[in-house]
Amino acid sequence: MTPQTSPTSQTSPSSPTSSSPQSAAGPRGRVARAVTTRPRLLLLLILLLTAGAVVVGGGVAERMSSGGSQIPGSESSYATAELERRWPASQPNLLLLVSPRDGTRDVDDPAVASEARDLARQLADEKAVLGVVSYWQTEDTALRARDGGEALITARIKGDEDAVDDALEALEPRYRGAHGAVDVRLGGPAAVRHASQEVIADDLVRAEVIALPVTLVLLVVVFGSAVAAALPLLVGIVSVLGTNAVLRVITEFTDVSVYAQNLTTALGLGLAIDYALFLVRRHREELAAGRDPRDAVAVTLRTAGRTVLYSALTVAVCLASMLVFEQYFLRSLAYAGIAVVLISAAASLVALPAALVLLGHRVNALRLPVGRRGGNPGAGWARLARLVMRRAPLFAVGTVAVLLALGLPFKDVRFGTADDRQLPSSTEARVVQEELRNEFPGSPGSALAVLVEERPAAKALAEYSGEVSRLADVVQVAGPAGRFVDGKRVDDAPPAIGYVSVLHSAESASPQSVSLVKKIRSVPASFETSVTGPAAVLADTQHGTAERLPWALAVIAVTTLILVFLLTGSVLLPLLTVVVNGLSLTAMFGAVVWVFQDGHLSGALGFTPTGNIETALPVLMFCVAFGLSMDYGVFLVSRIKEEYEIGGDHREAVVLGIRRTGGLITAAALILAVVMVAIGTSRVTNIKMLGLGVGLAVLMDAMVVRALLVPAVLRLTGRATWWAPAPMRRLQRRVGLEEEARTTYPDIPTRTERPVSGRT
């Protein structure tokens, strides 16, 4: 089969300045002219926009929320809303753990009891608080530690998450600490959430402090020039600032998770630096080939710029797939991800080229005694590619086997939800929750609530309550029919409530508690019921996520296939890209289970394993890591396609593509891994898992998949890699984004100097 070559391959590229690339027609030519003709005006406009973004996005963290795990329209969501409306004190979110200051006393000591009752009355008088219940009021043994050394005051801070956080900040200094004969520590869902937000905010600042200088050092090593190294870092900073402004605007219309800022920082720095690194490297190649700075920028935009555009679109689509999920935790991360990708691409394709025009050959100024000096750049990558292609079956099978083996632990994954053990062990909110787990027969903060829809007969409600109390792990059931333990009524005084509270001993974020929810929902009743509580929310989240996951995967697969086809004009290559990218994530998912679920390396990494993985986190990690893998995949196949169109030799095109991009992709992966690992230094386990997991996926993709698996697979597929039916080929050409022919480079003989071998 005769290879399809572009018209540019018929002419010698040995004279790069023979015609001005700025005069090219089409949209990319117009963009190049716009960027290169008025660079000062363009940079001034970008500077003003960045300054505005700093002002607009400055208070974005204060407007973000920390929830978003509930599935709208689910049974637990409905029951929660109804309980909030009709019995707002039904589910306490604030717990005061009261203990005698004198260790020889217990909570029934008269002095301790008197002080505790005063605290409960004071708390009940707070405007933001309702539903205060204490052990000393009810003598409920579920609110007293088994050894009598501690007891609880429970309450509900009313309002949405922001109102709860504001009220908690005002209450903490008044109630925490010593009060006469007792000491008070604060816990409960509100305190855990508030502590998480504070820790995340502090950790994000530390991550930025770690990532920025290390990234700058790596860029200096890559370029050997302080000026060239500074450009990608500046683009990354502009990207982060711009995305913060976009997120601030989004918060005016919908809820945005506080975790979105971590994603913004990681992707903003990582992707913007990747794109800028790719563009600056290509620009310097064009300068070295003898082009005028303006022409070099124009060619860079129409070659590497095209690749950056396709890469950004692919990553954005992967992140946009999270919009199919209903919980705003994932949806808000999609908003953040799409914004940061598009802003990173825009800054790289507009601001960076304008700066390169103004700098001219000074982009190589301030050379430092680091980085590659002389030699034959890319020779090592070329040798590796030739070795892999000579033993293609061995490398293909071996690499796939290793990747699948690394992913095996994921078959034992157990999904749960985040709890207080996400926090550092010294955090007060976590200490309180640990006490509740270890010393109390059940935790009010994790109790389940069964909403009773109508007024059933007293006998029917008593039978239902007794049946629920017989279930394994149920400590007691309390409701309008009284309090029940093991099927027997222990308190005939019915509370003035219209719901049934189920206190249980199972951890709220465990498969055991999810199983209990399913059992309660299956208990027959002559009236309609709806179950909510932390375990019910988890059960509904797992069901809703599993229901929407195939749609998200379909969005990623279909759009990836389309975009890679438009980039390459190949039918086979998009399919290979999707499969190879999926394999590149196996090590990440295996490590997540082996390390964070099973607890290996927990001491070294400083976290407490809970035996399960946050339900939504693998979805987020897949979308982010798959998008970043596509980023490097697009860089590589775009350059291989360019080489193939010039010479028509498939094997040599693969070698030259890897030679030209191997070091670049590795450098970009190292920089992005540094950013992700910096995020992974967080003291919150889920953020640590996200950062370290995605960082591992990026390194595996760049150093194993792109270096070993891709050349082996392309050697096996041969020139069939580039085949497409004639109608599809015409459709792809009609898009009008064909790659420009590259110039010649001093270290690689041109096709006119080295005959095509004809090998396939």
Side-chain angles (χ1 to χ4, degrees), residues 341-358:
V341 171
L342 297 182
I343 292 174
S344 297
S348 300
L349 294 173
V350 179
L352 180 61
L356 290 174
V357 170
L358 292 179

Side-chain angles (χ1 to χ4, degrees), residues 520-571:
I520 294 174
R521 287 175 172 173
S522 65
V523 171
S526 59
F527 45 88
E528 191 173 347
T529 62
S530 301
V531 182
T532 188
V537 171
L538 172 59
D540 291 339
T541 299
Q542 290 179 342
H543 175 75
T545 301
E547 193 174 57
R548 295 296 183 102
L549 183 59
W551 291 100
L553 296 177
V555 168
I556 291 175
V558 171
T559 53
T560 297
L561 292 173
I562 293 173
L563 287 171
V564 176
F565 167 73
L566 293 176
L567 175 70
T568 64
S570 164
V571 171

Side-chain angles (χ1 to χ4, degrees), residues 370-570:
V370 294
R372 183 181 294 277
R373 310 291 291 180
N376 193 354
W381 289 103
R383 286 194 296 271
L384 176 61
R386 294 184 190 279
L387 171 64
V388 171
M389 296 177 78
R390 282 197 301 271
R391 301 286 186 269
L394 176 63
F395 277 97
V397 173
T399 305
V400 170
V402 170
L403 291 173
L404 291 177
L406 292 174
L408 279 178
F410 193 71
K411 66 181 177 61
D412 298 320
V413 65
R414 295 184 296 275
F415 294 109
T417 192
D419 61 16
D420 57 278
R421 287 169 293 182
Q422 291 277 310
L423 296 169
S425 57
S426 60
T427 307
E428 182 176 278
R430 173 175 172 175
V431 172
V432 170
Q433 298 302 120
E434 293 278 10
E435 288 291 313
L436 296 180
R437 269 193 296 272
N438 298 331
E439 304 298 335
F440 285 71
S443 171
S446 63
L448 296 169
V450 182
L451 177 66
V452 179
E453 295 293 351
E454 61 259 8
R455 292 180 178 273
K459 181 180 179 181
L461 188 56
E463 290 176 351
Y464 174 81
S465 300
E467 190 67 26
V468 172
S469 71
R470 291 189 184 96
L471 296 175
D473 300 318
V474 173
V475 175
Q476 71 172 29
V477 174
R483 192 160 63 234
F484 292 78
V485 176
D486 292 331
K488 298 179 181 178
R489 194 196 309 266
V490 297
D491 185 354
D492 291 330
I497 57 176
Y499 63 93
V500 175
S501 177
V502 181
L503 199 65
H504 60 90
S505 58
E507 292 184 7
S508 60
S510 67
Q512 190 178 7
S513 64
V514 171
S515 176
L516 177 60
V517 169
K518 294 177 181 177
K519 291 176 182 177
I520 294 174
R521 287 175 172 173
S522 65
V523 171
S526 59
F527 45 88
E528 191 173 347
T529 62
S530 301
V531 182
T532 188
V537 171
L538 172 59
D540 291 339
T541 299
Q542 290 179 342
H543 175 75
T545 301
E547 193 174 57
R548 295 296 183 102
L549 183 59
W551 291 100
L553 296 177
V555 168
I556 291 175
V558 171
T559 53
T560 297
L561 292 173
I562 293 173
L563 287 171
V564 176
F565 167 73
L566 293 176
L567 175 70
T568 64
S570 164

Side-chain angles (χ1 to χ4, degrees), residues 30 119 273 373 398:
R30 289 192 291 271
L119 279 171
I273 289 172
R373 310 291 291 180

Side-chain angles (χ1 to χ4, degrees), residues 329 613-622 685-687 689-690:
F329 168 74
I613 300 297
E614 167 74 40
T615 302
L617 198 60
V619 175
L620 172 63
M621 295 176 72
F622 175 85
T685 306
N686 272 357
I687 303 296
M689 190 187 312
L690 174 65

Side-chain angles (χ1 to χ4, degrees), residues 98-100 102-113 135-136 144 147-151 181-182:
V98 181
S99 57
D102 183 350
T104 62
R105 301 180 182 182
D106 63 25
V107 294
D108 293 313
D109 182 270
V112 173
Y135 162 73
W136 297 273
R144 179 180 181 272
D147 63 0
E150 297 167 317
V182 301

